[in-house]
Amino acid sequence: MKLFKRLAAAVSVTAGLAVSGHAASAESVLRVAMTAGDIPIVIGQPDQGFEGYRFVGYNLYDTLVLWDLSQGETAADIKPGLATSWKIDPNDNKRWLITLREGVKWHDGCDFTPEDVVWNFERISKEDAPQFNVKQFGMIRNRTGSIEKVEVLGKNEIAIVTKDPDALFPYQLSYWFMISKCRLTELKNDYEAYANAPSGTGPYKFDSIVPQERLELVKNEEYWDKDRIPKHDRLVLIPMPEATTRAAALLSGQVDFIEAPSPDTIPRLESSGMEIVTASYPHNWSYQLNFVDGNFKHKAVRQAANYGLNRPEMKALLNGYMEEGYTNVPPSTPYHGTPSVKYEYNPEKATALLKEAGCYPCKIKLAISTSGSGQMQPLPMNELLKSQLDAVGFDIELKVMDWNALLDVGRPGREKNPDIDGINISRALQDPFSALIRHVYTKQHAPKGSNWGHYSNPKVDALIDEVYLAFDPKVRMEKLTTLHELMVEEATLLWVAHDVNPRALAPNLKGFVQAQSWFQDLTPIVVE
């Protein structure tokens, strides 16, 4: 009931915009129902997972390196953002030379300068800096923790020095959002005040926010990339974690664009004229495992769980809206390789492995969410997984919580929750660090990084060290392929599905291109 009341309030506001005067009557409004349970924070690095990045981060702000989301035929890759070019210093493989884009202005009217980048680095790294924010530091440290310093070289040149050589470093720059030094300084570094008037350089400007109800952004007419000035006037983001509520809102005309419709509602949506868009994209619905405290520290138990899953049955549950996940990355990924094992459904083998490991029945506690960014249909999917694994000799307990609470379990690492054996946090795979390294590198043990379960293997660590030194793309690809093959053999995750990312759009929306990426570009959408 509360969700419908919030939705009604949001709709009444946007409807009011259309009748408040002649100028407002011409305003085109795009209303999006997110899966998030609340509005992502707007002070730079968003929360609410990568849905926060998709709808707030890349709309209000820019990163030095952006993602090319303009087409859906191939997987998205990085492109220039606030940086127009980057290269490694030929005399120092820990020093990246970066040219910044000139003529960019913050939403508050100040000029974007190299000093702004240094200031932004200090706000998420230097504890005695007046602009330092400990929560923002915690949310981006796994991407920027390798940076030693940022130096100004000239009016549009900087150098970023890493602590160690990092051939993958440009990808990390695509996750670090730049906020306005002018605005936060004007507000005496008060982030609560800044949250009510944030300033970025992105394609949308902040207009208003009602927590747990809506965030309203308006197009930035002066955006530096003229091809990405929004084709609509206003973007309204509404948190709506229940899939059935999102579908009902779209069918009733209360929203225009919904994330992750429930598969059983898709036929009704299609018959009502809604457009359903899907695409393979780098997103893994899986479980990170605890390698220290519980039964998953045994390789045989991890392999048993993977053999015990009937993925075709899971696909049927979702009416076909998934790809079966037997490995960490889909087979189309350049560094997929040829793993020595494929975890096709084999209940007899799963049971035999559990008995061999002396874990029968094998008690496992999994932390899961009710909804969230990229979580697909977490409750029915987890219930099916539980029934499948229990049938081969596991004793699965599901610990259910909301999305942000699950993220709060994931970030600190297994030491904070040693009784939990696995966490069902879906993961983006769009770059080699995200897809592979962060899950298995000892240097990425949480809370420093995303290796939640503290997997550690000297052979894997040595291979990753070689990847970071491989500035030759061909050599790097060979090593990444070997790394992925090792991860599969070790059963480093419990793999279930690769998402196809269904979305539903009202028939009056034109121009949306679904990129093969966790992130999407809303700016081309025309609201007719």
Side-chain angles (χ1 to χ4, degrees), residues 142-143 288 410-411 423 427 433 438-440 444-453:
N142 66 322
R143 302 286 180 179
Q288 285 183 270
R411 289 192 185 101
I423 56 173
R427 296 293 188 182
F433 173 83
R438 63 173 169 169
H439 296 295
V440 293
Q444 279 290 309
H445 279 186
K448 181 179 179 181
S450 298
N451 185 347
W452 172 80

Side-chain angles (χ1 to χ4, degrees), residues 3-4 7 33 239-252 254-255 258 265:
L3 283 172
F4 282 108
L7 178 59
M240 204 175 293
E242 292 294 331
T244 53
T245 306
R246 293 194 295 275
L250 182 60
L251 287 167
S252 64
Q254 296 173 325
V255 298
I258 67 172
T265 66

